Amino acid sequence: MGNTSQQVAIVTGGGSGIGLAIAEKFTKNGIDTVIVGRDEEKLKTAKSQLGDCCHLMICDISNLGSIPALIKKVIAQFGKIDILVNNAGINMKKDFIEVTDEEFQRVITTNLCSVFAMSREVVKEMLKKGNGSIINISSMAAQYGLPRVIAYSASKTAIDGMTRAMAVELSPKGIRINAIAPGFIETDMTAKALNSDPERKQKVFARTPMGYMGKPADIGEAALFLASDAAKYITGVVLPVDGGNSIGF
Ligand code: NDP
């Protein structure tokens, strides 16, 4: 069992993109950080980059039945969980009428049901020590209407509602729940969504007052802040980190 004074975090999807940047901020600040994903090679590469405070666990979180065992494994190794970042997610861009029930369900299971199941199992542990911080990664797709991402929009809008519902129920018990709504951030996911669609890319820049895309590290900074004592009176918020995209004209 690990040193109980050292903070312990789980970052789902911590092997790449935004999750990797969050894990980098955490590990640089001495937080033992368990990165979770499906691709072992990706996680190993991330660990070699992040060093000794980074630990990896392989789990397909869309397999909801595997989540309780994952959390038990983290507890067996570290003794507690202080921070959970529900970051792992998938996108699917397709015309509304072309989306099958299976495709819709796949996105909802990965982006939403897993966030519920992860949070439920982690909250059981956080309640034992009476504190903790959970950060859900939302999206601009929950702030305004985006065409051709119906399942993704449904999942991220539900994340915002769940963040508020969890915050009112769990904050009195010492657990803060917040979300970050990233704007358009330079990762593989955005490259896939925008590079093949110049019109969409143009729209993104046109309504982003700062005029450029964010970096994964910008989300890392916000996550570190929300996880820290500096944010001890903040719960239930969905914080846009978006260069003004959500309020852009
Ligand atoms: P990436 O595709 O780079 O990263 C997604 C991560 O999630 C991967 O590391 C992947 O790991 C992991 N993942 C996906 N499915 C599963 C699964 N079933 N089980 C375990 N891990 C899984 O995307 P981003 O970094 O761009 O996105 C991260 C989050 O930020 C997502 O929730 C996304 O919706 C959100 N977001 C991103 C924005 C952007 O501009 N990039 C904007 C708004 C929100 P592996 O392949 O190893 O399973």
Side-chain angles (χ1 to χ4, degrees), residues 2 51 124 179 197 209-210 230 233 242:
K124 286 179 191 169
D197 193 341
M210 285 189 169
Y233 201 53
D242 67 344

Side-chain angles (χ1 to χ4, degrees), residues 9-248:
I10 300 176
V11 179
T12 64
S16 64
I18 289 174
L20 176 60
I22 294 171
E24 187 175 7
K25 285 285 167 212
F26 284 3
T27 50
K28 275 195 175 146
N29 280 272
I31 300 170
D32 267 320
T33 306
V34 180
I35 55 173
V36 177
R38 294 163 300 181
D39 181 339
E40 187 169 4
E41 283 315 305
K42 201 195 272 185
L43 294 173
K44 279 185 173 162
T45 307
K47 176 166 170 44
S48 66
Q49 197 180 317
L50 303 187
D52 288 346
C53 279
C54 178
H55 315 271
L56 59 96
M57 287 194 190
I58 296 144
C59 181
D60 179 347
I61 57 165
S62 70
N63 178 3
L64 303 178
S66 66
I67 290 177
L70 170 73
I71 301 310
K72 281 201 177 81
K73 205 167 137 191
V74 177
I75 292 295
Q77 199 168 328
F78 298 95
K80 61 168 186 165
I81 299 161
D82 300 295
I83 303 158
L84 167 65
V85 183
N86 286 307
N87 163 80
I90 53 171
N91 200 352
M92 186 194 46
K93 210 165 121 212
K94 230 175 172 189
D95 285 346
F96 179 77
I97 56 166
E98 300 297 334
V99 178
T100 66
D101 291 336
E102 289 72 24
E103 286 169 333
F104 190 88
Q105 191 58 55
R106 191 169 66 89
V107 175
I108 294 292
T109 303
T110 304
N111 292 7
L112 178 63
C113 302
S114 75
V115 172
F116 164 66
M118 284 289 300
S119 302
R120 182 194 58 213
E121 295 309 309
V122 168
V123 164
K124 286 179 191 169
E125 296 301 328
M126 288 177 168
L127 285 174
K128 291 178 191 165
K129 61 191 186 76
N131 60 58
S133 169
I134 297 181
I135 298 164
N136 297 324
I137 303 299
S138 181
S139 167
M140 285 302 115
Q143 304 263 330
Y144 50 75
L146 266 172
R148 305 189 67 224
V149 285
I150 189 64
Y152 185 79
S153 299
S155 70
K156 294 299 185 179
T157 307
I159 288 288
D160 290 4
M162 206 155 73
T163 300
R164 288 186 282 269
M166 285 171 67
V168 293
E169 187 167 339
L170 299 169
S171 300
K173 296 171 177 164
I175 305 171
R176 295 183 299 108
I177 320 287
N178 292 293
I180 296 171
F184 290 83
I185 308 295
E186 286 173 12
T187 68
D188 291 348
M189 188 185 278
T190 3
K192 252 186 238 158
L194 296 183
N195 288 350
S196 57
D197 193 341
E199 198 188 329
R200 204 174 182 98
K201 199 169 188 175
Q202 170 53 31
K203 268 200 141 168
V204 166
F205 285 114
R207 64 167 296 167
T208 304
M210 285 189 169
Y212 59 90
M213 282 171 68
K215 302 274 187 214
D218 296 326
I219 309 304
E221 297 284 7
L224 183 64
F225 165 67
L226 285 175
S228 76
D229 267 359
K232 68 182 186 315
Y233 201 53
I234 301 179
T235 194
V237 305
V238 179
L239 175 68
V241 179
D242 67 344
N245 180 270
S246 54
I247 50 85

